[in-house]
Short mmCIF file of all heavy atoms in Angstrom, two decimals:
data_model
loop_
_atom_site.label_atom_id
_atom_site.label_comp_id
_atom_site.label_asym_id
_atom_site.label_seq_id
_atom_site.Cartn_x
_atom_site.Cartn_y
_atom_site.Cartn_z
N TYR A 1 -5.39 10.29 -13.68
CA TYR A 1 -6.16 11.54 -13.71
C TYR A 1 -7.11 11.58 -14.95
O TYR A 1 -8.01 12.38 -14.97
CB TYR A 1 -5.21 12.74 -13.76
CG TYR A 1 -4.04 12.55 -14.62
CD1 TYR A 1 -4.07 12.71 -15.98
CD2 TYR A 1 -2.80 12.11 -14.03
CE1 TYR A 1 -2.96 12.46 -16.75
CE2 TYR A 1 -1.67 11.92 -14.82
CZ TYR A 1 -1.73 12.13 -16.20
OH TYR A 1 -0.69 11.84 -16.94
N ASP A 2 -6.88 10.67 -15.92
CA ASP A 2 -7.73 10.59 -17.11
C ASP A 2 -8.77 9.53 -16.92
O ASP A 2 -9.61 9.25 -17.83
CB ASP A 2 -6.95 10.37 -18.34
CG ASP A 2 -6.13 11.58 -18.73
OD1 ASP A 2 -6.53 12.68 -18.37
OD2 ASP A 2 -5.03 11.34 -19.36
N MET A 3 -8.77 8.79 -15.85
CA MET A 3 -9.68 7.61 -15.67
C MET A 3 -11.02 8.05 -14.99
O MET A 3 -11.03 9.15 -14.36
CB MET A 3 -9.00 6.58 -14.79
CG MET A 3 -7.74 5.98 -15.43
SD MET A 3 -6.94 4.79 -14.30
CE MET A 3 -5.48 4.37 -15.25
N PRO A 4 -11.99 7.30 -15.11
CA PRO A 4 -13.25 7.59 -14.45
C PRO A 4 -13.08 7.70 -12.94
O PRO A 4 -12.16 7.12 -12.37
CB PRO A 4 -14.17 6.37 -14.80
CG PRO A 4 -13.57 5.87 -16.09
CD PRO A 4 -12.07 6.11 -16.02
N LYS A 5 -13.98 8.43 -12.27
CA LYS A 5 -13.86 8.67 -10.86
C LYS A 5 -13.84 7.35 -10.05
O LYS A 5 -13.09 7.22 -9.14
CB LYS A 5 -14.98 9.61 -10.42
CG LYS A 5 -14.90 10.03 -8.94
CD LYS A 5 -15.92 11.04 -8.60
CE LYS A 5 -15.77 11.40 -7.10
NZ LYS A 5 -16.86 12.43 -6.77
N ASN A 6 -14.77 6.44 -10.39
CA ASN A 6 -14.80 5.18 -9.61
C ASN A 6 -13.53 4.33 -9.73
O ASN A 6 -13.14 3.62 -8.85
CB ASN A 6 -16.05 4.44 -10.02
CG ASN A 6 -15.99 4.04 -11.52
OD1 ASN A 6 -15.26 4.58 -12.29
ND2 ASN A 6 -16.84 3.08 -11.93
N VAL A 7 -12.86 4.46 -10.88
CA VAL A 7 -11.63 3.70 -11.10
C VAL A 7 -10.43 4.38 -10.32
O VAL A 7 -9.66 3.80 -9.60
CB VAL A 7 -11.25 3.66 -12.61
CG1 VAL A 7 -9.88 3.01 -12.75
CG2 VAL A 7 -12.30 2.88 -13.36
N SER A 8 -10.42 5.78 -10.36
CA SER A 8 -9.35 6.51 -9.66
C SER A 8 -9.46 6.26 -8.19
O SER A 8 -8.44 6.32 -7.44
CB SER A 8 -9.34 7.92 -10.03
OG SER A 8 -10.62 8.54 -9.69
N GLN A 9 -10.70 6.10 -7.67
CA GLN A 9 -10.85 5.91 -6.17
C GLN A 9 -10.20 4.55 -5.75
O GLN A 9 -9.62 4.43 -4.69
CB GLN A 9 -12.32 5.95 -5.81
CG GLN A 9 -12.91 7.33 -5.82
CD GLN A 9 -14.42 7.28 -5.56
OE1 GLN A 9 -15.04 6.30 -5.68
NE2 GLN A 9 -15.00 8.48 -5.22
N ASN A 10 -10.30 3.56 -6.65
CA ASN A 10 -9.74 2.24 -6.37
C ASN A 10 -8.19 2.38 -6.28
O ASN A 10 -7.53 1.76 -5.49
CB ASN A 10 -10.12 1.23 -7.36
CG ASN A 10 -11.60 0.88 -7.31
OD1 ASN A 10 -12.20 1.01 -6.31
ND2 ASN A 10 -12.18 0.48 -8.44
N ILE A 11 -7.69 3.27 -7.14
CA ILE A 11 -6.19 3.46 -7.16
C ILE A 11 -5.72 4.02 -5.87
O ILE A 11 -4.63 3.76 -5.31
CB ILE A 11 -5.83 4.37 -8.36
CG1 ILE A 11 -6.03 3.54 -9.64
CG2 ILE A 11 -4.38 4.75 -8.25
CD1 ILE A 11 -5.68 4.31 -10.89
N ILE A 12 -6.56 4.93 -5.24
CA ILE A 12 -6.16 5.46 -3.93
C ILE A 12 -5.95 4.41 -2.82
O ILE A 12 -4.99 4.47 -2.08
CB ILE A 12 -7.23 6.56 -3.48
CG1 ILE A 12 -7.29 7.65 -4.42
CG2 ILE A 12 -6.97 6.94 -2.04
CD1 ILE A 12 -8.42 8.69 -4.12
N PHE A 13 -6.85 3.41 -2.85
CA PHE A 13 -6.71 2.29 -1.86
C PHE A 13 -5.43 1.45 -2.13
O PHE A 13 -4.82 0.99 -1.21
CB PHE A 13 -7.96 1.43 -1.94
CG PHE A 13 -9.20 2.08 -1.36
CD1 PHE A 13 -10.24 2.53 -2.23
CD2 PHE A 13 -9.26 2.31 -0.02
CE1 PHE A 13 -11.33 3.14 -1.68
CE2 PHE A 13 -10.43 2.97 0.51
CZ PHE A 13 -11.45 3.35 -0.34
N ILE A 14 -5.13 1.33 -3.40
CA ILE A 14 -3.84 0.57 -3.77
C ILE A 14 -2.68 1.31 -3.23
O ILE A 14 -1.72 0.76 -2.63
CB ILE A 14 -3.81 0.36 -5.24
CG1 ILE A 14 -4.97 -0.48 -5.79
CG2 ILE A 14 -2.48 -0.33 -5.61
CD1 ILE A 14 -5.02 -0.63 -7.26
N ILE A 15 -2.67 2.68 -3.43
CA ILE A 15 -1.55 3.47 -2.92
C ILE A 15 -1.43 3.42 -1.40
O ILE A 15 -0.38 3.28 -0.84
CB ILE A 15 -1.67 4.91 -3.43
CG1 ILE A 15 -1.58 4.94 -5.01
CG2 ILE A 15 -0.63 5.82 -2.90
CD1 ILE A 15 -1.83 6.31 -5.60
N MET A 16 -2.60 3.48 -0.75
CA MET A 16 -2.60 3.43 0.73
C MET A 16 -2.08 2.10 1.17
O MET A 16 -1.30 2.07 2.17
CB MET A 16 -4.06 3.57 1.20
CG MET A 16 -4.62 4.98 1.01
SD MET A 16 -6.35 5.11 1.53
CE MET A 16 -6.26 4.63 3.20
N ARG A 17 -2.39 0.98 0.51
CA ARG A 17 -1.94 -0.32 0.94
C ARG A 17 -0.36 -0.43 0.70
O ARG A 17 0.36 -1.06 1.52
CB ARG A 17 -2.60 -1.47 0.17
CG ARG A 17 -2.13 -2.80 0.60
CD ARG A 17 -2.34 -3.09 2.07
NE ARG A 17 -1.81 -4.34 2.52
CZ ARG A 17 -0.57 -4.59 2.84
NH1 ARG A 17 0.30 -3.56 2.91
NH2 ARG A 17 -0.06 -5.72 3.31
N ALA A 18 0.09 0.19 -0.32
CA ALA A 18 1.50 0.14 -0.63
C ALA A 18 2.38 0.95 0.33
O ALA A 18 3.59 0.74 0.43
CB ALA A 18 1.81 0.70 -2.08
N GLN A 19 1.71 1.82 1.15
CA GLN A 19 2.46 2.54 2.18
C GLN A 19 2.84 1.70 3.35
O GLN A 19 3.66 2.14 4.20
CB GLN A 19 1.57 3.79 2.66
CG GLN A 19 1.18 4.75 1.59
CD GLN A 19 2.34 5.28 0.86
OE1 GLN A 19 3.32 5.75 1.46
NE2 GLN A 19 2.29 5.28 -0.44
N HIS A 20 2.34 0.46 3.38
CA HIS A 20 2.74 -0.55 4.41
C HIS A 20 3.39 -1.68 3.71
O HIS A 20 2.80 -2.70 3.43
CB HIS A 20 1.51 -0.96 5.19
CG HIS A 20 0.75 0.16 5.90
ND1 HIS A 20 1.17 0.68 7.07
CD2 HIS A 20 -0.33 0.84 5.52
CE1 HIS A 20 0.32 1.61 7.48
NE2 HIS A 20 -0.60 1.80 6.50
N PRO A 21 4.69 -1.57 3.44
CA PRO A 21 5.37 -2.59 2.61
C PRO A 21 5.55 -3.87 3.43
O PRO A 21 5.42 -3.95 4.61
CB PRO A 21 6.71 -1.93 2.29
CG PRO A 21 6.92 -0.95 3.42
CD PRO A 21 5.57 -0.49 3.79
N VAL A 22 5.96 -4.92 2.65
CA VAL A 22 6.18 -6.22 3.28
C VAL A 22 7.56 -6.09 3.98
O VAL A 22 8.56 -5.72 3.33
CB VAL A 22 6.16 -7.31 2.18
CG1 VAL A 22 6.63 -8.62 2.82
CG2 VAL A 22 4.85 -7.48 1.56
N LEU A 23 7.59 -6.55 5.22
CA LEU A 23 8.85 -6.52 5.95
C LEU A 23 9.17 -7.90 6.40
O LEU A 23 8.42 -8.64 6.91
CB LEU A 23 8.65 -5.60 7.20
CG LEU A 23 8.29 -4.17 6.98
CD1 LEU A 23 8.09 -3.40 8.33
CD2 LEU A 23 9.41 -3.43 6.19
N LEU A 24 10.48 -8.26 6.19
CA LEU A 24 10.97 -9.48 6.66
C LEU A 24 11.31 -9.31 8.16
O LEU A 24 12.13 -8.47 8.50
CB LEU A 24 12.23 -9.91 5.88
CG LEU A 24 12.80 -11.31 6.07
CD1 LEU A 24 11.77 -12.39 5.70
CD2 LEU A 24 14.07 -11.53 5.33
N THR A 25 10.68 -10.07 9.01
CA THR A 25 10.86 -9.87 10.44
C THR A 25 11.34 -11.14 11.11
O THR A 25 11.13 -12.23 10.68
CB THR A 25 9.51 -9.45 11.07
OG1 THR A 25 8.50 -10.47 10.87
CG2 THR A 25 9.00 -8.16 10.53
N ALA A 26 12.04 -10.89 12.24
CA ALA A 26 12.48 -11.96 13.12
C ALA A 26 11.66 -11.96 14.32
O ALA A 26 11.66 -11.00 15.09
CB ALA A 26 13.99 -11.77 13.56
N GLY A 27 10.83 -13.01 14.49
CA GLY A 27 9.89 -13.08 15.59
C GLY A 27 8.77 -12.08 15.48
O GLY A 27 8.12 -11.75 16.54
N LYS A 28 8.55 -11.52 14.36
CA LYS A 28 7.44 -10.59 14.07
C LYS A 28 7.59 -9.25 14.84
O LYS A 28 6.65 -8.49 15.02
CB LYS A 28 6.12 -11.19 14.42
CG LYS A 28 5.76 -12.44 13.55
CD LYS A 28 4.37 -12.94 13.89
CE LYS A 28 4.06 -14.13 12.96
NZ LYS A 28 2.76 -14.68 13.24
N PHE A 29 8.83 -8.95 15.33
CA PHE A 29 9.02 -7.69 16.03
C PHE A 29 10.34 -6.97 15.65
O PHE A 29 10.53 -5.88 15.89
CB PHE A 29 8.96 -7.90 17.52
CG PHE A 29 10.05 -8.79 18.11
CD1 PHE A 29 11.26 -8.29 18.41
CD2 PHE A 29 9.76 -10.16 18.26
CE1 PHE A 29 12.23 -9.14 18.92
CE2 PHE A 29 10.76 -10.96 18.72
CZ PHE A 29 12.02 -10.48 19.07
N PHE A 30 11.26 -7.75 15.02
CA PHE A 30 12.58 -7.20 14.64
C PHE A 30 12.73 -7.28 13.13
O PHE A 30 12.75 -8.34 12.54
CB PHE A 30 13.68 -8.03 15.33
CG PHE A 30 15.06 -7.36 15.35
CD1 PHE A 30 15.27 -6.30 16.26
CD2 PHE A 30 16.05 -7.72 14.48
CE1 PHE A 30 16.49 -5.68 16.27
CE2 PHE A 30 17.25 -7.11 14.50
CZ PHE A 30 17.47 -6.13 15.40
N VAL A 31 12.70 -6.09 12.53
CA VAL A 31 12.75 -6.01 11.07
C VAL A 31 14.19 -6.33 10.52
O VAL A 31 15.19 -5.79 11.11
CB VAL A 31 12.36 -4.60 10.57
CG1 VAL A 31 12.46 -4.51 9.09
CG2 VAL A 31 10.98 -4.23 11.05
N VAL A 32 14.26 -7.18 9.56
CA VAL A 32 15.58 -7.55 9.00
C VAL A 32 15.78 -6.82 7.69
O VAL A 32 15.03 -7.08 6.65
CB VAL A 32 15.60 -9.10 8.70
CG1 VAL A 32 16.93 -9.52 8.14
CG2 VAL A 32 15.33 -9.89 10.05
N ASN A 33 16.68 -5.90 7.66
CA ASN A 33 17.02 -5.10 6.50
C ASN A 33 18.49 -4.72 6.63
O ASN A 33 19.24 -5.14 7.49
CB ASN A 33 16.08 -3.95 6.29
CG ASN A 33 16.04 -3.05 7.58
OD1 ASN A 33 16.84 -3.02 8.43
ND2 ASN A 33 14.85 -2.41 7.68
#
């Protein structure tokens, strides 16, 4: 919130990408957890 606007906009994209975490999958359809 103290950073320049163009920098804080980049942070939004990082947060959006983090909403899709890395999943260990079996056959790319069955999540292993």
Side-chain angles (χ1 to χ4, degrees):
Y1 40 82
D2 291 331
M3 297 178 185
K5 185 177 180 180
N6 58 344
V7 176
S8 59
Q9 286 177 342
N10 293 333
I11 291 179
I12 294 176
F13 290 108
I14 297 174
I15 296 175
M16 290 175 60
R17 180 60 186 86
Q19 300 306 308
H20 301 279
V22 176
L23 300 175
L24 189 63
T25 58
K28 297 184 179 180
F29 61 87
F30 196 77
V31 179
V32 180
N33 52 25

